Amino acid sequence: MSSTEEYLEESKTYPGHKVRRPGSQVSRWFAPWKRGLGTWGFVLNRVAGLGLVLYLFLHLAVLSLLTRGQEGWDAFITLAKSPLFLLLDVVLLAGILGHGLNGLRVALIGTGLLVRWHRPLFIAVAVIAVLGLVAGALLFFSA
Amino acid sequence: MSWQITYKIKRYHPDQGSRVDTFQVEIEPERTVLDGIELIWAKQDRTLVFRHACHHASCGSCGLVVNGVEVLPCIKLIQDATTDGGTLEVEPLRNFPVVADLVVDMAPFFERMQLIGMPIVGPTGPLPGQEPDEYTAFENCIECGLCLSACPVVATDSKYLGPAALAAAERVIEVSEGRLSDEVLAAVDNEHGLWRCHAAFECSEVCPSNVDPAGRIMALRRRMTFERLRRLVGAKG
Amino acid sequence: MRSEYERRGGWSWITQVISGLLLIVLVGLHMIAQHFIVEGGLRTYQDVLAYVSDPVIFTLEILFLVVVTYHALLGVRSVLFDLGLSEAQERRVTQILVVIGLLTIGYGVWLSLYLIGQA
Ligand code: SF4
């Protein structure tokens, strides 16, 4: 990535110095390659979090079908039980498990309780999330 | 036995823009990445701009990104830095303005450090009640800036105070029994201060001097969190 | 050197952690209530009406809505603040997100009350 074009703006906090323009490197946080487990935790947490925000609003929008009464809802239920939507449910569960468990980890680290344990904690989060996901997927598709 | 090493060096000149130059170097794998760069400068290209001084990881001036990871090239052995036994991709530190080639402008970082007011040289030792194992003196910081280059938050938020300065603040609090000046406190206990950190731990990962900035930031956060909660309870009780 | 900062920002992190912990409980309840307490899940329109009309469920769902909206939008705010916005842009972002949050919660409450009215 080119280095200097980003530093076009005069710094307000540090007069006389150039800083990156705000928002000029929007995606630079997404760079877990060659990085440690901590960065993977951060990046996965953020991606899952943004996904869950999207889901939240989609979910609320879909619920507006309820105002159309019986027919609207029945149509939705048929759709919701199609394999594609069940697959989306699995993705949702992955997001919830990943974000929730990793959030717990961040809370434990951030309050200074288990700072030195952040790596094993990440592995524990990953293992529990995968197990939960498999269990959930089996449950969804067998129901 | 010397190895054939390919250095791919990121070049930049304000008038010429940026490019990558490739150099072949015959060198023993037990020598350092910096040795190779100096050889290139001495034998192949006198215009190559890079910074170095002490050659033993105490001045903190030579920091670079080598094969995607922040290192001090003065102590990084070539055999440890190459993953394929032959190529070294060398870039300037990230998240700093580049002056030329491998040299970046460290001023924004130094000004943040100055704001915190941590004396760089001072008597050190474990604090009362601290096990020698837990003791990571902030005075170890050589102000190399590797932590800022590795930090994903510094990468997008140019207002973030950054790992080294926050670690320094925690150390100041420790040695002064909880006191920070109002001005420093304002910069530290701030949305672009200690609360901005996302605990990616890259700073601690790359720090060549065992400062553990991420651990220090979490200690600072714990301190400030419990202080706030105490004040809340105090105000209500 | 003069600092432009004021002391703030701690509560957003602390409340994000607290709301996150609450959500772990509330998401669990939300799923369990919908899929297991009601026999066979919420399949029919009548099921849904009966579900929201239960005062305990209603309270839980509204609590869930409030906490999840807060947590979600605070998270979005944090992502945006990471981009190094100007002070004015930061204030704007906060204002807009507060409005979105209030509208979201208002919509959820309205929808629940509407459905209770239908029951
Ligand atoms: S904290 Fe470590 S990585 Fe950061 S400037 Fe100091 S010595 Fe370098």
Side-chain angles (χ1 to χ4, degrees), chain A residues 52 90-103 125 128-134 136:
Chain A
L52 288 173
V90 176
V91 175
L92 172 68
L93 183 65
I96 291 177
L97 282 171
H99 193 83
L101 289 165
N102 192 55
V125 162
I128 300 175
V130 168
L131 290 180
L133 190 62
V134 171

Side-chain angles (χ1 to χ4, degrees), chain B:
Chain B
M1 242 280 285
S2 57
W3 288 7
Q4 177 78 22
I5 300 291
T6 308
Y7 273 80
K8 293 189 174 161
I9 301 185
K10 180 90 175 265
R11 306 293 299 267
Y12 170 79
H13 187 280
D15 301 332
Q16 295 159 14
S18 43
R19 65 173 194 275
V20 174
D21 278 354
T22 304
F23 301 96
Q24 302 295 335
V25 184
E26 285 269 327
I27 192 166
E28 295 79 28
E30 303 81 24
R31 294 181 65 189
T32 67
V33 175
L34 184 59
D35 288 337
I37 295 174
E38 289 188 299
L39 264 179
I40 292 170
W41 174 79
K43 301 244 175 78
Q44 303 188 35
D45 188 343
R46 300 289 282 186
T47 68
L48 180 63
V49 186
F50 60 106
R51 184 161 47 202
H52 66 95
C54 77
H55 281 247
H56 60 251
S58 79
C59 72
S61 60
C62 66
L64 292 173
V65 176
V66 175
N67 285 349
V69 182
E70 284 73 11
V71 297
L72 287 183
C74 64
I75 51 166
K76 192 75 183 173
L77 303 186
I78 287 174
Q79 61 193 11
D80 299 335
T82 60
T83 42
D84 59 358
T87 315
L88 291 173
E89 286 177 18
V90 182
E91 297 161 274
L93 290 185
R94 293 177 259 233
N95 309 331
F96 290 96
V98 179
V99 177
D101 292 347
L102 301 175
V103 172
V104 296
D105 180 2
M106 302 281 278
F109 169 51
F110 291 150
E111 295 205 14
R112 282 161 161 81
M113 296 301 277
Q114 199 181 353
L115 173 73
I116 304 300
M118 182 72 206
I120 297 176
V121 182
T124 77
L127 294 168
Q130 208 175 27
E131 296 294 320
D133 276 359
E134 302 169 12
Y135 157 69
T136 45
F138 182 75
E139 286 82 352
N140 286 345
C141 175
I142 55 171
E143 308 206 339
C144 61
L146 296 194
C147 52
L148 276 83
S149 175
C151 174
V153 180
V154 176
T156 54
D157 180 8
S158 51
K159 281 196 268 176
Y160 181 41
L161 196 55
L166 287 168
E170 168 63 12
R171 182 64 181 164
V172 173
I173 296 182
E174 267 186 0
V175 295
S176 68
E177 287 154 2
R179 272 185 295 281
L180 276 183
S181 75
D182 284 352
E183 191 185 49
V184 177
L185 202 54
V188 169
D189 186 3
N190 181 283
E191 272 193 302
H192 294 281
L194 77 110
W195 307 105
R196 189 90 254 133
C197 167
H198 293 302
F201 283 86
E202 286 307 330
C203 49
S204 296
E205 217 62 70
V206 299
C207 176
S209 211
N210 249 338
V211 172
D212 187 18
R216 313 253 89 192
I217 296 172
M218 293 305 132
L220 201 54
R221 190 174 275 180
R222 175 202 180 93
R223 195 187 282 283
M224 297 291 179
T225 300
F226 286 107
E227 189 204 301
R228 268 182 168 73
L229 294 177
R230 257 197 308 278
R231 254 190 287 142
L232 187 71
V233 175
K236 280 187 178 160

